Amino acid sequence: MKAAVIYWSSTGNTEAMAQAVAEGAKNAGVEVDLMEVSDTSADAAAEYDVLALGCPAMGDEELEDGEFEPFFADLESKLSGKKIALFGSYDWGDGEWMRSWYDRTKNAGADMITEEGLIVNNTPDDEGLAACRDLGAKLA
């Protein structure tokens, strides 16, 4: 089994989460590729058995619209039957972007690894990073 952790990050918060998710997966024995969304395509991402996708809340609690949203919109039709985990950071709001993203992913036929996406307020602390490593372990 091969997994990809694909993310977009502006401030480094979601990047730190992605690194911890990848670390947790590797520690669980999963072969993992960690990459920024700009370094892949939806077609390449669809080749993986398992995907962990990370994007922070932007604007009015939505996915980043310059790179990540176009990537995800292209990937959405390729998610049926794929094991997927979602994660990201936010600064304000109540996590609406994650709930909407989770619903989109599940409605596309994805096999969701968790009951909800993992969100961390701003910079992940030790507890947040531990939750990310736990999420990574669930990729196995």
Side-chain angles (χ1 to χ4, degrees):
M1 179 177 62
K2 192 164 184 183
V5 178
I6 302 169
Y7 70 94
W8 185 91
S9 187
S10 173
T11 63
N13 295 338
T14 301
E15 179 178 17
M17 293 178 74
Q19 291 169 347
V21 170
E23 179 186 340
K26 287 177 186 175
N27 290 344
V30 178
E31 184 180 343
V32 181
D33 289 332
L34 173 66
M35 66 192 90
E36 292 183 50
V37 71
S38 59
D39 295 332
T40 192
S41 67
D43 287 337
E47 295 297 317
Y48 287 88
D49 302 308
V50 180
L51 295 171
L53 304 173
C55 185
M58 300 294 289
D60 190 23
E61 286 214 63
E62 57 197 16
L63 295 174
E64 187 277 330
D65 65 1
E67 291 181 81
F68 200 89
E69 173 60 38
F71 161 80
F72 185 74
D74 203 21
L75 179 63
E76 208 165 348
S77 66
K78 301 168 177 61
L79 294 178
S80 184
K82 293 264 180 214
K83 292 182 184 276
I84 307 290
L86 304 177
F87 65 92
S89 63
Y90 70 103
D91 185 20
W92 60 273
D94 69 354
E96 179 183 345
W97 107 98
M98 183 59 74
R99 290 189 300 276
S100 297
W101 186 20
Y102 185 93
D103 289 345
R104 279 177 69 185
T105 307
K106 189 170 185 171
N107 290 338
D111 179 10
M112 303 305 291
I113 292 172
T114 60
E115 292 297 316
E116 56 188 22
L118 174 62
I119 61 175
V120 171
N121 185 252
N122 289 315
T123 304
D125 57 12
D126 289 343
E127 183 180 323
L129 292 173
C132 291
R133 285 189 289 275
D134 289 346
L135 178 63
K138 290 178 183 173
L139 299 182

